[in-house]
Amino acid sequence: MTSPIEERLAALGVVLPTPTPPVANYVPAVESGGWLWISGQVPMGPNGPEFIGKLGRDVELDSGRAAARLCAINILAQAKAALGDLERIKRVVKLVGFVNSFGDFGDQPKVVNGASDFLVEVLGEHGRHARSAVGVAGLPFNVAVEVEAVLEIA
């Protein structure tokens, strides 16, 4: 039997991937005191990193939003691996989005909306969250976006 969250994912045509293992000395998620802290997720697709380059030079705004959405999909994949059941998510508390930005690119909030909008679409009001959207000079694998999350869990 599938959960309501999994039903919404299926309705959106989203299949959660097998989470990517860490590439350095960290763990992908830490559960502590009713919280799940998920390490930064990049837009990792089935064939490796996707959406390579800087917003404002190599990557268009719509592609940046798609990259952030893929990061959010990977956040849910890590949450499912850590929790076993996405229904344990009570609320997305905070997202921090890092946008690989060129020059005077200033639409980081619009880029990170790709992750925020997706989480609200899947989790409803429980997906609404506090957020930061930060422009950075570079990200791992030269990807366009990285997003980390803090979830309240049951």
Side-chain angles (χ1 to χ4, degrees), residues 23-78:
V23 297
N25 189 15
Y26 67 93
V27 294
V30 173
E31 183 177 345
S32 179
W35 304 95
L36 183 66
W37 302 78
I38 299 182
S39 296
Q41 299 297 301
V42 299
M44 192 67 71
N47 298 313
E50 298 182 8
F51 304 100
I52 305 301
K54 294 184 178 293
L55 273 291
R57 183 182 69 194
D58 313 307
V59 179
E60 298 294 326
L61 181 60
D62 286 343
S63 293
R65 287 177 47 81
R69 182 180 189 273
L70 183 52
C71 292
I73 290 168
N74 289 330
I75 285 169
L76 290 182
Q78 293 289 1

Side-chain angles (χ1 to χ4, degrees), residues 17-138:
T18 300
T20 303
V23 297
N25 189 15
Y26 67 93
V27 294
V30 173
E31 183 177 345
S32 179
W35 304 95
L36 183 66
W37 302 78
I38 299 182
S39 296
Q41 299 297 301
V42 299
M44 192 67 71
N47 298 313
E50 298 182 8
F51 304 100
I52 305 301
K54 294 184 178 293
L55 273 291
R57 183 182 69 194
D58 313 307
V59 179
E60 298 294 326
L61 181 60
D62 286 343
S63 293
R65 287 177 47 81
R69 182 180 189 273
L70 183 52
C71 292
I73 290 168
N74 289 330
I75 285 169
L76 290 182
Q78 293 289 1
K80 182 161 182 161
L83 301 172
D85 182 0
L86 292 174
E87 293 301 321
R88 287 189 58 200
I89 298 172
K90 291 172 68 175
R91 175 152 200 154
V92 178
V93 176
K94 173 85 185 229
L95 290 185
V96 180
F98 303 95
V99 179
N100 192 356
S101 301
F102 180 76
D104 63 353
F105 181 80
D107 283 334
Q108 291 85 0
K110 290 179 182 177
V111 171
V112 180
N113 277 346
S116 296
D117 293 347
F118 175 76
L119 290 170
V120 171
E121 191 172 16
V122 172
L123 300 171
E125 287 300 311
H126 300 284
R128 295 203 182 279
H129 49 270
R131 185 183 87 181
S132 300
V134 180
V136 297

